[in-house]
Amino acid sequence: MNMAAQGFAVVQAFEHDVLAGLNAAQKTLPCKYLYDEAGSRLFEEICALEDYYLTRTEADIFARKIDAMAQALGPDVTLIEPGAGNCAKAEPLLQAMYTPAAYLPLDISPEILFAARQRIQQRMPGLPISPAVGDFTSPAVWRELPETAGRKVVFFPGSTIGNFTPEQARSLLGLFADQVQTGDGLLLAADLVKDSVVLERAYHDSNHVTEAFNKNLLHRINRELDGSFNIDAFAHRAFYHRLRRRVEMHLVSLKEQVVEVCGRQFHFAEGETIHTENSHKYTLATLEELLHSTGFQPQQYWTDHQQHYAIYYAEAV
Ligand SMILES: C[S@@+](CC[C@H](N)C(=O)[O-])C[C@H]1O[C@@H](n2cnc3c(N)ncnc32)[C@H](O)[C@@H]1O
């Protein structure tokens, strides 16, 4: 499939998933659709927020340990990054790596991906870069990646694994395992369980950027699927669910209302929510269990002094 066809497939899937999600008993919208061009930019703003400790903490670990990570990954490696976004974390890693063979970023949002490719290509002109647009949970998208010789490492930073339920995370890492050979690697970052006040502030920041990010999904539906959402009639809500070990993000209907999408009508009771994102939190033990159960042997991990965040290097067995 070429780039235009991949983009078209993403649009069709968006319509299908939104209609199915709004028809469900607990209305839900898959969080991957938060990242259109505007959403990707809002996410970059979130990453710079004081309240959003995740990016800051991860950046600190990378800054201190990037050489150790590059050494663990080894020479002549093809780095594959599902959900690469602006590729900002891959760039210093590629620079620290010994003769990286190629970089294959994959993302559902084409605009941010192609801007990033141009930037990295200018700074590392000899490095083959082949971006692919699509849903990284779909094996079809992985088949679009070019064949490369030598070892591969899947790079999955940003705690994106947290957006998947434990069962979904197992099948996703299982899919990653299917793409690599024994001895190939996985560099995986995850946010760790911590005080709920710290967690909730990260997803309900005082600058209201996460609120804008969440509500942008309604703007996107209005624009792309002929929706009639009154954005002001919905509120942003984020809370930590202790038992499920996840922060849930919702949009709450502030009144009883009917909304049209693609010519279909959806009823909302006052207080009814659309569940838009999960951010699951791990412990070192549950992360290692996840890696083992999907065919990866943890080799090394790096964390911050508060153990708020962890980055694991594991190899396929
Ligand atoms: C939390 S951001 C992380 C971005 C980057 N990896 C980082 O660490 O800063 C998630 C990125 O993954 C992309 N994404 C989320 N779900 C996806 C999916 N199912 N398929 C492809 N891309 C996805 C989004 O478009 C966004 O760029």
Side-chain angles (χ1 to χ4, degrees), residues 233-265:
F234 286 84
H236 167 71
R237 181 188 291 163
F239 61 91
Y240 183 57
H241 195 303
R242 226 171 262 280
L243 268 182
R244 294 187 178 147
R245 287 190 177 152
R246 69 188 191 196
V247 176
E248 292 190 8
M249 208 160 78
H250 292 251
L251 288 161
V252 189
S253 177
L254 294 174
K255 58 180 187 184
E256 182 170 6
Q257 53 185 319
V258 173
V259 176
E260 272 198 23
V261 178
C262 290
R264 306 215 195 149
Q265 296 200 326

PDB file of all heavy atoms in Angstrom, residues 233-265:
ATOM      1  N   ALA A 233     -20.401  21.773  25.848  1.00  0.00           N
ATOM      2  CA  ALA A 233     -21.366  20.957  26.598  1.00  0.00           C
ATOM      3  C   ALA A 233     -20.709  19.682  27.130  1.00  0.00           C
ATOM      4  O   ALA A 233     -21.390  18.769  27.614  1.00  0.00           O
ATOM      5  CB  ALA A 233     -22.561  20.619  25.714  1.00  0.00           C
ATOM      6  N   PHE A 234     -19.377  19.596  27.033  1.00  0.00           N
ATOM      7  CA  PHE A 234     -18.621  18.452  27.575  1.00  0.00           C
ATOM      8  C   PHE A 234     -17.479  18.956  28.453  1.00  0.00           C
ATOM      9  O   PHE A 234     -16.877  19.992  28.161  1.00  0.00           O
ATOM     10  CB  PHE A 234     -18.046  17.587  26.433  1.00  0.00           C
ATOM     11  CG  PHE A 234     -19.106  16.776  25.745  1.00  0.00           C
ATOM     12  CD1 PHE A 234     -19.871  17.333  24.721  1.00  0.00           C
ATOM     13  CD2 PHE A 234     -19.369  15.466  26.137  1.00  0.00           C
ATOM     14  CE1 PHE A 234     -20.872  16.607  24.101  1.00  0.00           C
ATOM     15  CE2 PHE A 234     -20.369  14.725  25.522  1.00  0.00           C
ATOM     16  CZ  PHE A 234     -21.126  15.297  24.498  1.00  0.00           C
ATOM     17  N   ALA A 235     -17.202  18.215  29.516  1.00  0.00           N
ATOM     18  CA  ALA A 235     -16.098  18.587  30.414  1.00  0.00           C
ATOM     19  C   ALA A 235     -15.037  17.493  30.399  1.00  0.00           C
ATOM     20  O   ALA A 235     -15.339  16.315  30.172  1.00  0.00           O
ATOM     21  CB  ALA A 235     -16.632  18.768  31.836  1.00  0.00           C
ATOM     22  N   HIS A 236     -13.792  17.897  30.643  1.00  0.00           N
ATOM     23  CA  HIS A 236     -12.660  16.952  30.728  1.00  0.00           C
ATOM     24  C   HIS A 236     -12.597  16.363  32.137  1.00  0.00           C
ATOM     25  O   HIS A 236     -12.717  17.096  33.115  1.00  0.00           O
ATOM     26  CB  HIS A 236     -11.380  17.741  30.420  1.00  0.00           C
ATOM     27  CG  HIS A 236     -10.116  17.017  30.748  1.00  0.00           C
ATOM     28  ND1 HIS A 236      -9.664  15.938  30.020  1.00  0.00           N
ATOM     29  CD2 HIS A 236      -9.180  17.227  31.712  1.00  0.00           C
ATOM     30  CE1 HIS A 236      -8.516  15.517  30.535  1.00  0.00           C
ATOM     31  NE2 HIS A 236      -8.198  16.285  31.556  1.00  0.00           N
ATOM     32  N   ARG A 237     -12.439  15.033  32.221  1.00  0.00           N
ATOM     33  CA  ARG A 237     -12.260  14.416  33.549  1.00  0.00           C
ATOM     34  C   ARG A 237     -11.132  13.385  33.473  1.00  0.00           C
ATOM     35  O   ARG A 237     -11.072  12.598  32.519  1.00  0.00           O
ATOM     36  CB  ARG A 237     -13.540  13.717  34.003  1.00  0.00           C
ATOM     37  CG  ARG A 237     -13.389  13.088  35.398  1.00  0.00           C
ATOM     38  CD  ARG A 237     -14.568  12.230  35.788  1.00  0.00           C
ATOM     39  NE  ARG A 237     -15.780  12.992  36.023  1.00  0.00           N
ATOM     40  CZ  ARG A 237     -17.005  12.465  36.062  1.00  0.00           C
ATOM     41  NH1 ARG A 237     -17.173  11.172  35.836  1.00  0.00           N
ATOM     42  NH2 ARG A 237     -18.046  13.220  36.286  1.00  0.00           N
ATOM     43  N   ALA A 238     -10.240  13.401  34.472  1.00  0.00           N
ATOM     44  CA  ALA A 238      -9.159  12.402  34.547  1.00  0.00           C
ATOM     45  C   ALA A 238      -9.020  11.967  35.996  1.00  0.00           C
ATOM     46  O   ALA A 238      -8.996  12.809  36.896  1.00  0.00           O
ATOM     47  CB  ALA A 238      -7.852  13.001  34.051  1.00  0.00           C
ATOM     48  N   PHE A 239      -8.974  10.647  36.231  1.00  0.00           N
ATOM     49  CA  PHE A 239      -8.832  10.157  37.610  1.00  0.00           C
ATOM     50  C   PHE A 239      -8.042   8.850  37.620  1.00  0.00           C
ATOM     51  O   PHE A 239      -8.024   8.120  36.619  1.00  0.00           O
ATOM     52  CB  PHE A 239     -10.210   9.947  38.259  1.00  0.00           C
ATOM     53  CG  PHE A 239     -11.062   8.945  37.543  1.00  0.00           C
ATOM     54  CD1 PHE A 239     -11.024   7.603  37.892  1.00  0.00           C
ATOM     55  CD2 PHE A 239     -11.894   9.337  36.493  1.00  0.00           C
ATOM     56  CE1 PHE A 239     -11.797   6.665  37.215  1.00  0.00           C
ATOM     57  CE2 PHE A 239     -12.674   8.410  35.814  1.00  0.00           C
ATOM     58  CZ  PHE A 239     -12.624   7.075  36.183  1.00  0.00           C
ATOM     59  N   TYR A 240      -7.399   8.584  38.762  1.00  0.00           N
ATOM     60  CA  TYR A 240      -6.630   7.344  38.910  1.00  0.00           C
ATOM     61  C   TYR A 240      -7.524   6.252  39.475  1.00  0.00           C
ATOM     62  O   TYR A 240      -8.131   6.433  40.535  1.00  0.00           O
ATOM     63  CB  TYR A 240      -5.427   7.574  39.829  1.00  0.00           C
ATOM     64  CG  TYR A 240      -4.556   6.344  39.968  1.00  0.00           C
ATOM     65  CD1 TYR A 240      -3.988   5.737  38.842  1.00  0.00           C
ATOM     66  CD2 TYR A 240      -4.293   5.781  41.213  1.00  0.00           C
ATOM     67  CE1 TYR A 240      -3.193   4.609  38.950  1.00  0.00           C
ATOM     68  CE2 TYR A 240      -3.481   4.646  41.334  1.00  0.00           C
ATOM     69  CZ  TYR A 240      -2.943   4.070  40.195  1.00  0.00           C
ATOM     70  OH  TYR A 240      -2.158   2.953  40.311  1.00  0.00           O
ATOM     71  N   HIS A 241      -7.630   5.140  38.760  1.00  0.00           N
ATOM     72  CA  HIS A 241      -8.391   3.972  39.206  1.00  0.00           C
ATOM     73  C   HIS A 241      -7.395   3.021  39.865  1.00  0.00           C
ATOM     74  O   HIS A 241      -6.601   2.364  39.185  1.00  0.00           O
ATOM     75  CB  HIS A 241      -9.063   3.317  37.992  1.00  0.00           C
ATOM     76  CG  HIS A 241     -10.136   2.334  38.347  1.00  0.00           C
ATOM     77  ND1 HIS A 241      -9.904   1.250  39.161  1.00  0.00           N
ATOM     78  CD2 HIS A 241     -11.444   2.285  37.999  1.00  0.00           C
ATOM     79  CE1 HIS A 241     -11.016   0.566  39.293  1.00  0.00           C
ATOM     80  NE2 HIS A 241     -11.969   1.169  38.615  1.00  0.00           N
ATOM     81  N   ARG A 242      -7.436   3.004  41.217  1.00  0.00           N
ATOM     82  CA  ARG A 242      -6.411   2.301  41.990  1.00  0.00           C
ATOM     83  C   ARG A 242      -6.362   0.804  41.670  1.00  0.00           C
ATOM     84  O   ARG A 242      -5.290   0.229  41.500  1.00  0.00           O
ATOM     85  CB  ARG A 242      -6.734   2.474  43.476  1.00  0.00           C
ATOM     86  CG  ARG A 242      -5.552   2.850  44.305  1.00  0.00           C
ATOM     87  CD  ARG A 242      -6.023   3.210  45.710  1.00  0.00           C
ATOM     88  NE  ARG A 242      -6.157   4.640  45.856  1.00  0.00           N
ATOM     89  CZ  ARG A 242      -5.126   5.454  46.078  1.00  0.00           C
ATOM     90  NH1 ARG A 242      -3.913   4.970  46.168  1.00  0.00           N
ATOM     91  NH2 ARG A 242      -5.305   6.748  46.203  1.00  0.00           N
ATOM     92  N   LEU A 243      -7.551   0.170  41.575  1.00  0.00           N
ATOM     93  CA  LEU A 243      -7.578  -1.280  41.346  1.00  0.00           C
ATOM     94  C   LEU A 243      -7.035  -1.641  39.970  1.00  0.00           C
ATOM     95  O   LEU A 243      -6.303  -2.604  39.805  1.00  0.00           O
ATOM     96  CB  LEU A 243      -9.027  -1.778  41.441  1.00  0.00           C
ATOM     97  CG  LEU A 243      -9.486  -2.246  42.808  1.00  0.00           C
ATOM     98  CD1 LEU A 243     -10.916  -2.761  42.718  1.00  0.00           C
ATOM     99  CD2 LEU A 243      -8.564  -3.358  43.322  1.00  0.00           C
ATOM    100  N   ARG A 244      -7.432  -0.831  38.980  1.00  0.00           N
ATOM    101  CA  ARG A 244      -6.984  -1.128  37.610  1.00  0.00           C
ATOM    102  C   ARG A 244      -5.615  -0.533  37.317  1.00  0.00           C
ATOM    103  O   ARG A 244      -5.102  -0.692  36.211  1.00  0.00           O
ATOM    104  CB  ARG A 244      -8.005  -0.601  36.600  1.00  0.00           C
ATOM    105  CG  ARG A 244      -9.309  -1.327  36.705  1.00  0.00           C
ATOM    106  CD  ARG A 244     -10.278  -0.933  35.613  1.00  0.00           C
ATOM    107  NE  ARG A 244     -11.488  -1.712  35.773  1.00  0.00           N
ATOM    108  CZ  ARG A 244     -12.706  -1.304  35.486  1.00  0.00           C
ATOM    109  NH1 ARG A 244     -12.872  -0.092  34.987  1.00  0.00           N
ATOM    110  NH2 ARG A 244     -13.746  -2.068  35.672  1.00  0.00           N
ATOM    111  N   ARG A 245      -5.076   0.205  38.287  1.00  0.00           N
ATOM    112  CA  ARG A 245      -3.758   0.842  38.138  1.00  0.00           C
ATOM    113  C   ARG A 245      -3.665   1.637  36.850  1.00  0.00           C
ATOM    114  O   ARG A 245      -2.752   1.458  36.038  1.00  0.00           O
ATOM    115  CB  ARG A 245      -2.648  -0.214  38.155  1.00  0.00           C
ATOM    116  CG  ARG A 245      -2.412  -0.804  39.520  1.00  0.00           C
ATOM    117  CD  ARG A 245      -1.159  -1.637  39.497  1.00  0.00           C
ATOM    118  NE  ARG A 245      -0.825  -2.181  40.781  1.00  0.00           N
ATOM    119  CZ  ARG A 245      -0.161  -3.307  40.967  1.00  0.00           C
ATOM    120  NH1 ARG A 245       0.224  -4.017  39.948  1.00  0.00           N
ATOM    121  NH2 ARG A 245       0.125  -3.714  42.175  1.00  0.00           N
ATOM    122  N   ARG A 246      -4.697   2.518  36.645  1.00  0.00           N
ATOM    123  CA  ARG A 246      -4.624   3.329  35.434  1.00  0.00           C
ATOM    124  C   ARG A 246      -5.297   4.678  35.636  1.00  0.00           C
ATOM    125  O   ARG A 246      -6.234   4.800  36.448  1.00  0.00           O
ATOM    126  CB  ARG A 246      -5.273   2.601  34.259  1.00  0.00           C
ATOM    127  CG  ARG A 246      -6.782   2.456  34.367  1.00  0.00           C
ATOM    128  CD  ARG A 246      -7.298   1.562  33.266  1.00  0.00           C
ATOM    129  NE  ARG A 246      -8.742   1.589  33.152  1.00  0.00           N
ATOM    130  CZ  ARG A 246      -9.471   0.702  32.491  1.00  0.00           C
ATOM    131  NH1 ARG A 246      -8.881  -0.299  31.873  1.00  0.00           N
ATOM    132  NH2 ARG A 246     -10.776   0.807  32.423  1.00  0.00           N
ATOM    133  N   VAL A 247      -4.789   5.680  34.912  1.00  0.00           N
ATOM    134  CA  VAL A 247      -5.483   6.963  34.857  1.00  0.00           C
ATOM    135  C   VAL A 247      -6.452   6.869  33.687  1.00  0.00           C
ATOM    136  O   VAL A 247      -6.058   6.491  32.578  1.00  0.00           O
ATOM    137  CB  VAL A 247      -4.500   8.142  34.645  1.00  0.00           C
ATOM    138  CG1 VAL A 247      -5.259   9.445  34.492  1.00  0.00           C
ATOM    139  CG2 VAL A 247      -3.516   8.237  35.805  1.00  0.00           C
ATOM    140  N   GLU A 248      -7.721   7.170  33.966  1.00  0.00           N
ATOM    141  CA  GLU A 248      -8.726   7.154  32.892  1.00  0.00           C
ATOM    142  C   GLU A 248      -9.063   8.585  32.503  1.00  0.00           C
ATOM    143  O   GLU A 248      -9.216   9.450  33.371  1.00  0.00           O
ATOM    144  CB  GLU A 248     -10.012   6.466  33.372  1.00  0.00           C
ATOM    145  CG  GLU A 248      -9.843   4.993  33.614  1.00  0.00           C
ATOM    146  CD  GLU A 248     -11.178   4.285  33.851  1.00  0.00           C
ATOM    147  OE1 GLU A 248     -12.260   4.917  33.668  1.00  0.00           O
ATOM    148  OE2 GLU A 248     -11.143   3.106  34.218  1.00  0.00           O
ATOM    149  N   MET A 249      -9.174   8.828  31.230  1.00  0.00           N
ATOM    150  CA  MET A 249      -9.571  10.151  30.759  1.00  0.00           C
ATOM    151  C   MET A 249     -10.952  10.015  30.099  1.00  0.00           C
ATOM    152  O   MET A 249     -11.177   9.085  29.318  1.00  0.00           O
ATOM    153  CB  MET A 249      -8.533  10.638  29.740  1.00  0.00           C
ATOM    154  CG  MET A 249      -8.397  12.116  29.651  1.00  0.00           C
ATOM    155  SD  MET A 249      -6.823  12.587  28.897  1.00  0.00           S
ATOM    156  CE  MET A 249      -7.167  12.301  27.170  1.00  0.00           C
ATOM    157  N   HIS A 250     -11.847  10.917  30.459  1.00  0.00           N
ATOM    158  CA  HIS A 250     -13.219  10.886  29.928  1.00  0.00           C
ATOM    159  C   HIS A 250     -13.630  12.280  29.465  1.00  0.00           C
ATOM    160  O   HIS A 250     -13.046  13.289  29.880  1.00  0.00           O
ATOM    161  CB  HIS A 250     -14.208  10.456  31.025  1.00  0.00           C
ATOM    162  CG  HIS A 250     -14.068   9.036  31.460  1.00  0.00           C
ATOM    163  ND1 HIS A 250     -15.000   8.066  31.157  1.00  0.00           N
ATOM    164  CD2 HIS A 250     -13.119   8.409  32.191  1.00  0.00           C
ATOM    165  CE1 HIS A 250     -14.621   6.910  31.688  1.00  0.00           C
ATOM    166  NE2 HIS A 250     -13.483   7.089  32.314  1.00  0.00           N
ATOM    167  N   LEU A 251     -14.678  12.322  28.651  1.00  0.00           N
ATOM    168  CA  LEU A 251     -15.387  13.566  28.344  1.00  0.00           C
ATOM    169  C   LEU A 251     -16.792  13.401  28.907  1.00  0.00           C
ATOM    170  O   LEU A 251     -17.484  12.428  28.583  1.00  0.00           O
ATOM    171  CB  LEU A 251     -15.427  13.805  26.834  1.00  0.00           C
ATOM    172  CG  LEU A 251     -14.074  14.205  26.233  1.00  0.00           C
ATOM    173  CD1 LEU A 251     -14.057  13.977  24.727  1.00  0.00           C
ATOM    174  CD2 LEU A 251     -13.748  15.664  26.553  1.00  0.00           C
ATOM    175  N   VAL A 252     -17.202  14.314  29.773  1.00  0.00           N
ATOM    176  CA  VAL A 252     -18.473  14.180  30.495  1.00  0.00           C
ATOM    177  C   VAL A 252     -19.519  15.096  29.869  1.00  0.00           C
ATOM    178  O   VAL A 252     -19.280  16.308  29.732  1.00  0.00           O
ATOM    179  CB  VAL A 252     -18.303  14.597  31.974  1.00  0.00           C
ATOM    180  CG1 VAL A 252     -19.558  14.257  32.775  1.00  0.00           C
ATOM    181  CG2 VAL A 252     -17.077  13.967  32.591  1.00  0.00           C
ATOM    182  N   SER A 253     -20.671  14.529  29.528  1.00  0.00           N
ATOM    183  CA  SER A 253     -21.761  15.348  28.988  1.00  0.00           C
ATOM    184  C   SER A 253     -22.356  16.194  30.122  1.00  0.00           C
ATOM    185  O   SER A 253     -22.781  15.649  31.143  1.00  0.00           O
ATOM    186  CB  SER A 253     -22.839  14.433  28.391  1.00  0.00           C
ATOM    187  OG  SER A 253     -23.911  15.225  27.941  1.00  0.00           O
ATOM    188  N   LEU A 254     -22.391  17.505  29.922  1.00  0.00           N
ATOM    189  CA  LEU A 254     -22.853  18.400  31.002  1.00  0.00           C
ATOM    190  C   LEU A 254     -24.367  18.534  31.028  1.00  0.00           C
ATOM    191  O   LEU A 254     -24.917  19.167  31.917  1.00  0.00           O
ATOM    192  CB  LEU A 254     -22.200  19.776  30.834  1.00  0.00           C
ATOM    193  CG  LEU A 254     -20.675  19.769  31.030  1.00  0.00           C
ATOM    194  CD1 LEU A 254     -20.077  21.136  30.709  1.00  0.00           C
ATOM    195  CD2 LEU A 254     -20.318  19.359  32.462  1.00  0.00           C
ATOM    196  N   LYS A 255     -25.038  17.940  30.035  1.00  0.00           N
ATOM    197  CA  LYS A 255     -26.510  17.989  30.017  1.00  0.00           C
ATOM    198  C   LYS A 255     -27.021  16.835  29.156  1.00  0.00           C
ATOM    199  O   LYS A 255     -26.229  16.190  28.458  1.00  0.00           O
ATOM    200  CB  LYS A 255     -26.981  19.323  29.430  1.00  0.00           C
ATOM    201  CG  LYS A 255     -26.468  19.573  28.026  1.00  0.00           C
ATOM    202  CD  LYS A 255     -26.961  20.889  27.478  1.00  0.00           C
ATOM    203  CE  LYS A 255     -26.567  21.015  26.011  1.00  0.00           C
ATOM    204  NZ  LYS A 255     -26.901  22.252  25.393  1.00  0.00           N
ATOM    205  N   GLU A 256     -28.319  16.597  29.195  1.00  0.00           N
ATOM    206  CA  GLU A 256     -28.895  15.619  28.278  1.00  0.00           C
ATOM    207  C   GLU A 256     -28.854  16.241  26.890  1.00  0.00           C
ATOM    208  O   GLU A 256     -29.203  17.415  26.710  1.00  0.00           O
ATOM    209  CB  GLU A 256     -30.338  15.302  28.681  1.00  0.00           C
ATOM    210  CG  GLU A 256     -30.921  14.252  27.771  1.00  0.00           C
ATOM    211  CD  GLU A 256     -32.257  13.706  28.255  1.00  0.00           C
ATOM    212  OE1 GLU A 256     -32.798  14.221  29.256  1.00  0.00           O
ATOM    213  OE2 GLU A 256     -32.745  12.770  27.614  1.00  0.00           O
ATOM    214  N   GLN A 257     -28.389  15.485  25.903  1.00  0.00           N
ATOM    215  CA  GLN A 257     -28.251  16.062  24.563  1.00  0.00           C
ATOM    216  C   GLN A 257     -28.182  14.957  23.499  1.00  0.00           C
ATOM    217  O   GLN A 257     -27.903  13.796  23.807  1.00  0.00           O
ATOM    218  CB  GLN A 257     -27.007  16.943  24.474  1.00  0.00           C
ATOM    219  CG  GLN A 257     -25.711  16.266  24.913  1.00  0.00           C
ATOM    220  CD  GLN A 257     -24.524  17.231  24.913  1.00  0.00           C
ATOM    221  OE1 GLN A 257     -24.365  18.041  24.015  1.00  0.00           O
ATOM    222  NE2 GLN A 257     -23.683  17.129  25.940  1.00  0.00           N
ATOM    223  N   VAL A 258     -28.441  15.353  22.262  1.00  0.00           N
ATOM    224  CA  VAL A 258     -28.318  14.425  21.129  1.00  0.00           C
ATOM    225  C   VAL A 258     -27.262  15.009  20.192  1.00  0.00           C
ATOM    226  O   VAL A 258     -27.271  16.202  19.886  1.00  0.00           O
ATOM    227  CB  VAL A 258     -29.664  14.263  20.385  1.00  0.00           C
ATOM    228  CG1 VAL A 258     -29.493  13.438  19.115  1.00  0.00           C
ATOM    229  CG2 VAL A 258     -30.695  13.606  21.312  1.00  0.00           C
ATOM    230  N   VAL A 259     -26.339  14.133  19.748  1.00  0.00           N
ATOM    231  CA  VAL A 259     -25.255  14.577  18.868  1.00  0.00           C
ATOM    232  C   VAL A 259     -25.321  13.760  17.586  1.00  0.00           C
ATOM    233  O   VAL A 259     -25.580  12.556  17.623  1.00  0.00           O
ATOM    234  CB  VAL A 259     -23.889  14.370  19.572  1.00  0.00           C
ATOM    235  CG1 VAL A 259     -22.748  14.729  18.637  1.00  0.00           C
ATOM    236  CG2 VAL A 259     -23.814  15.194  20.864  1.00  0.00           C
ATOM    237  N   GLU A 260     -25.107  14.413  16.460  1.00  0.00           N
ATOM    238  CA  GLU A 260     -25.086  13.696  15.176  1.00  0.00           C
ATOM    239  C   GLU A 260     -23.659  13.482  14.708  1.00  0.00           C
ATOM    240  O   GLU A 260     -22.831  14.391  14.795  1.00  0.00           O
ATOM    241  CB  GLU A 260     -25.820  14.517  14.107  1.00  0.00           C
ATOM    242  CG  GLU A 260     -27.290  14.216  14.074  1.00  0.00           C
ATOM    243  CD  GLU A 260     -27.961  14.654  12.769  1.00  0.00           C
ATOM    244  OE1 GLU A 260     -27.265  14.783  11.742  1.00  0.00           O
ATOM    245  OE2 GLU A 260     -29.177  14.866  12.814  1.00  0.00           O
ATOM    246  N   VAL A 261     -23.401  12.267  14.201  1.00  0.00           N
ATOM    247  CA  VAL A 261     -22.099  11.972  13.577  1.00  0.00           C
ATOM    248  C   VAL A 261     -22.389  11.121  12.346  1.00  0.00           C
ATOM    249  O   VAL A 261     -23.099  10.106  12.448  1.00  0.00           O
ATOM    250  CB  VAL A 261     -21.157  11.200  14.537  1.00  0.00           C
ATOM    251  CG1 VAL A 261     -19.841  10.863  13.839  1.00  0.00           C
ATOM    252  CG2 VAL A 261     -20.892  11.989  15.815  1.00  0.00           C
ATOM    253  N   CYS A 262     -21.868  11.544  11.181  1.00  0.00           N
ATOM    254  CA  CYS A 262     -22.101  10.817   9.923  1.00  0.00           C
ATOM    255  C   CYS A 262     -23.598  10.552   9.706  1.00  0.00           C
ATOM    256  O   CYS A 262     -23.984   9.446   9.291  1.00  0.00           O
ATOM    257  CB  CYS A 262     -21.365   9.484   9.908  1.00  0.00           C
ATOM    258  SG  CYS A 262     -19.608   9.625   9.801  1.00  0.00           S
ATOM    259  N   GLY A 263     -24.444  11.500  10.064  1.00  0.00           N
ATOM    260  CA  GLY A 263     -25.881  11.359   9.838  1.00  0.00           C
ATOM    261  C   GLY A 263     -26.580  10.478  10.860  1.00  0.00           C
ATOM    262  O   GLY A 263     -27.788  10.265  10.767  1.00  0.00           O
ATOM    263  N   ARG A 264     -25.839   9.933  11.842  1.00  0.00           N
ATOM    264  CA  ARG A 264     -26.498   9.111  12.883  1.00  0.00           C
ATOM    265  C   ARG A 264     -26.589   9.900  14.186  1.00  0.00           C
ATOM    266  O   ARG A 264     -25.732  10.736  14.465  1.00  0.00           O
ATOM    267  CB  ARG A 264     -25.687   7.836  13.138  1.00  0.00           C
ATOM    268  CG  ARG A 264     -25.451   7.114  11.856  1.00  0.00           C
ATOM    269  CD  ARG A 264     -25.450   5.647  12.017  1.00  0.00           C
ATOM    270  NE  ARG A 264     -24.854   5.098  10.806  1.00  0.00           N
ATOM    271  CZ  ARG A 264     -24.170   4.005  10.748  1.00  0.00           C
ATOM    272  NH1 ARG A 264     -23.996   3.291  11.833  1.00  0.00           N
ATOM    273  NH2 ARG A 264     -23.665   3.583   9.616  1.00  0.00           N
ATOM    274  N   GLN A 265     -27.630   9.576  14.957  1.00  0.00           N
ATOM    275  CA  GLN A 265     -27.848  10.322  16.203  1.00  0.00           C
ATOM    276  C   GLN A 265     -27.418   9.513  17.421  1.00  0.00           C
ATOM    277  O   GLN A 265     -27.656   8.299  17.482  1.00  0.00           O
ATOM    278  CB  GLN A 265     -29.344  10.652  16.330  1.00  0.00           C
ATOM    279  CG  GLN A 265     -29.827  11.580  15.235  1.00  0.00           C
ATOM    280  CD  GLN A 265     -31.109  12.273  15.616  1.00  0.00           C
ATOM    281  OE1 GLN A 265     -31.948  11.685  16.306  1.00  0.00           O
ATOM    282  NE2 GLN A 265     -31.277  13.510  15.176  1.00  0.00           N
TER     283      GLN A 265
END
